[in-house]
């Protein structure tokens, strides 16, 4: 669905969940379109919402390369680091 962006339903830095409606595109881009009212855009993954890449009123198309926002996935997350062997017992105890 292409048309003017009607609303943005997230704040930058907000945790969004997969399936949350993050924006709404107006279904009436031109008089020729007979599409039903509004078209919700849902988050494909859960994570932290990044910067808004569009504002209400901007025209959006399915082929737009930049998209509407970026979502940084934060779970699952893993960190690898080295640890001196002498700290292993202390580290295990802390876990």
């Amino acid at each position: 669905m292409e048309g003017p962006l009607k609303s943005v339903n997230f704040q930058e830095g907000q945790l969004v969940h997969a399936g949350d409606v993050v924006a709404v595109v107006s279904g009436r881009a031109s008089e020729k379109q007979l599409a039903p009212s509004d078209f919700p855009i849902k988050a494909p993954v859960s994570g932290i919402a990044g910067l808004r890449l569009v504002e209400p009123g901007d025209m959006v198309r399915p082929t737009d390369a930049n998209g509407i926002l970026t979502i940084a996935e934060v779970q699952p997350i893993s960190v690898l680091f080295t640890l001196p062997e002498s700290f292993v017992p202390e580290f295990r105890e802390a876990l």
Side-chain angles (χ1 to χ4, degrees):
M1 170 66 67
E2 94 177 32
L5 187 64
K6 185 174 182 179
S7 67
V8 176
N9 304 341
F10 69 92
Q11 298 290 325
E12 295 165 348
Q14 173 186 342
L15 178 64
V16 295
H17 298 91
D20 286 354
V21 175
V22 293
V24 177
V25 175
S26 176
R28 304 272 181 205
S30 69
E31 291 182 24
K32 293 180 182 178
Q33 277 188 307
L34 299 175
S37 345
D38 297 333
F39 183 78
I41 305 294
K42 297 180 180 181
V45 295
S46 297
I48 303 295
L51 297 176
R52 273 197 292 198
L53 303 175
V54 292
E55 295 293 328
D58 290 351
M59 286 295 291
V60 292
R61 294 170 184 80
T63 57
D64 287 346
N66 291 335
I68 293 175
L69 79 148
T70 57
I71 299 175
E73 290 184 87
V74 293
Q75 287 191 350
I77 190 168
S78 63
V79 178
L80 301 175
F81 58 93
T82 59
L83 184 69
E85 189 175 351
S86 61
F87 291 134
V88 171
E90 188 176 328
F91 182 75
R92 283 190 179 158
E93 187 176 313
L95 291 177

